[in-house]
Amino acid sequence: MTMLDDRQTAAPWPTAYPQGYAVVDVETTGLARDDRIVSAAVYRLDALGNVEDHWYTLVNPERDPGPVWIHGLTSDVLEGAPLFPEVAAELSARLADRVLVAHNAAFDWSMIAREYARASVVAPVEHRLCTIALAKELRLPLPNHKLASLAAHFGVVQQQAHHALDDARVLAEAFRPSLHAAARGGVRLPLLECRPLTEWSDSPVTPRVGYQTSRQSNSWRPSRKRPACPYPNPGRYEKERPLKQGMRVAFSGDTSIDRELLEDRAIEAGLHVATSVSRLTSLLVTNDPDAATSKTQKAKSFGTPILEESAFTHLLRDVAPADGAVLPQQASPPPPEATPSSE
């Protein structure tokens, strides 16, 4: 496939598009909320997607490096690397006033946000753009949504997969023609708001007694019994209508806001948080509706409405009262984005 011209588009450039991007990749010790960044890379791009400069650093995670067979960074290599607080200012300078771009951006952003919170610094990021979401908007004919497939589609050669600097380079080169294709087609970029963490409390690395280990990652979540929802189930969510007290809501996959906090806000608003999907489920909230999880598969088979997290949190601000009920004081907006949580 012939690469698109880096500096030309067939139509006027949309004035609503961002004026700069920071293409980011981080390698980590794992996927849980207590995992750490071991390396980070940033390619700064101008408004047209052209590379301005790039930056890379190792980061001492102050713990076991995790899957060395993936990122190749051993404890010996990371021993003399700077701690995250020592590179936070440089990273901030490269993220400031730009849209953070990443492949599966919810993950990269959540890892970065947690590192900043641990360092008691606010991450200077207001919006992020996921290149998986952009590929879906462009309806690119990809066999899957792996970075390698996106790179191959645009003729970008990977040199060292799972090395933060090369992954960021590959993504930057693939993002530029994606951006131009979106501009030519008048596609609105799938930007999501980033709300940095303002405080942090570390959880233990290993599970504790009374906690239930996730089936999909090495994270853990407390086994809490929630109060029964006092409102009857009004049925399924209808598009462009408000949520209604009593609706049964299920969550699947990673969420930008900590799963427990998101569930707490839903319960406070009068919704019923379901642990599984059935014919009675009003809606499923997931950031990856194409994932082959049991919940998404059941939702599709039952015809259950599926909403992304950002749409759900927006609707959560104004939940309609149950029939015959008076809506209590409106629940406060969801807290700052935090850690991904698994199904």
Side-chain angles (χ1 to χ4, degrees):
M1 179 175 179
T2 302
M3 288 288 291
L4 297 175
D5 189 306
D6 289 347
R7 301 179 183 276
Q8 295 182 359
T9 57
W13 199 258
T15 57
Y17 277 23
Q19 294 304 301
Y21 305 88
V23 178
V24 172
D25 186 77
V26 297
E27 296 299 321
T28 67
T29 61
L31 306 177
R33 73 186 302 273
D34 55 352
D35 277 301
R36 307 295 300 270
I37 290 175
V38 294
S39 65
V42 180
Y43 267 74
R44 290 196 290 189
L45 312 182
D46 64 17
L48 297 180
N50 301 309
V51 175
E52 295 178 332
D53 58 29
H54 64 267
W55 173 80
Y56 170 76
T57 185
L58 295 176
V59 181
N60 187 334
E62 302 181 274
R63 54 159 290 177
D64 183 273
V68 174
W69 59 92
I70 295 178
H71 53 60
L73 300 174
T74 65
S75 296
D76 290 342
V77 171
L78 296 170
E79 184 178 0
L83 304 178
F84 185 84
E86 297 171 331
V87 301
E90 180 66 23
L91 179 57
S92 293
R94 295 178 178 278
L95 297 178
D97 302 319
R98 295 171 186 266
V99 170
L100 184 151
V101 178
H103 204 65
N104 188 13
F107 172 74
D108 291 81
W109 163 243
S110 65
M111 295 301 299
I112 290 171
R114 293 200 295 269
E115 289 288 8
Y116 270 100
R118 289 187 186 97
S120 300
V121 181
V122 176
V125 180
E126 295 183 359
H127 294 91
R128 67 178 184 266
L129 187 157
C130 180
T131 46
I132 295 176
L134 181 56
K136 291 179 180 179
E137 290 287 336
L138 295 174
R139 298 183 180 179
L140 299 182
L142 305 177
N144 53 56
H145 293 290
K146 294 181 180 179
L147 178 58
S149 297
L150 183 66
H153 178 77
F154 288 115
V156 180
V157 178
Q158 284 188 297
Q159 296 176 353
Q160 192 174 353
H162 299 298
H163 186 287
L165 184 60
D166 194 60
D167 281 354
R169 174 193 63 80
V170 168
L171 189 57
E173 292 186 19
F175 175 65
R176 183 171 56 250
S178 298
L179 180 64
H180 287 201
R184 288 196 307 273
V187 175
R188 189 173 73 172
L189 298 181
L191 301 178
L192 290 178
E193 180 184 0
C194 290
R195 286 171 290 179
L197 284 166
T198 55
E199 59 183 23
W200 178 259
S201 177
D202 274 312
S203 62
V205 174
T206 55
R208 299 184 300 182
V209 175
Y211 284 79
Q212 187 174 25
T213 303
S214 166
R215 293 172 298 166
Q216 293 189 344
S217 73
N218 59 347
S219 62
W220 51 264
R221 299 179 59 220
S223 302
R224 295 196 300 172
K225 184 176 181 180
R226 299 187 180 279
C229 181
Y231 308 108
N233 184 355
R236 289 182 172 174
Y237 166 74
E238 297 179 21
K239 187 177 181 181
E240 298 184 358
R241 297 288 298 275
L243 297 172
K244 196 170 186 177
Q245 288 182 326
M247 282 187 170
R248 296 176 65 94
V249 182
F251 298 89
S252 177
D254 290 344
T255 52
S256 298
I257 299 171
D258 182 86
R259 176 71 69 81
E260 281 190 1
L261 296 177
L262 192 57
E263 291 178 353
D264 285 345
R265 292 296 178 254
I267 291 171
E268 288 171 7
L271 303 178
H272 176 115
V273 173
T275 57
S276 60
V277 173
S278 71
R279 297 184 186 278
L280 298 178
T281 304
S282 303
L283 73 155
L284 174 68
V285 178
T286 178
N287 287 321
D288 189 2
D290 295 326
T293 66
S294 60
K295 289 181 181 178
T296 54
Q297 290 176 337
K298 285 183 179 180
K300 290 177 181 179
S301 68
F302 295 147
T304 305
I306 298 176
L307 282 180
E308 289 192 351
E309 177 189 357
S310 58
F312 175 73
T313 55
H314 178 76
L315 291 170
L316 199 56
R317 299 171 184 173
D318 191 16
V319 177
D323 294 336
V326 177
L327 186 65
Q329 183 177 2
Q330 181 176 326
S332 58
E337 290 190 357
T339 153
S341 177
S342 298
E343 180 179 61

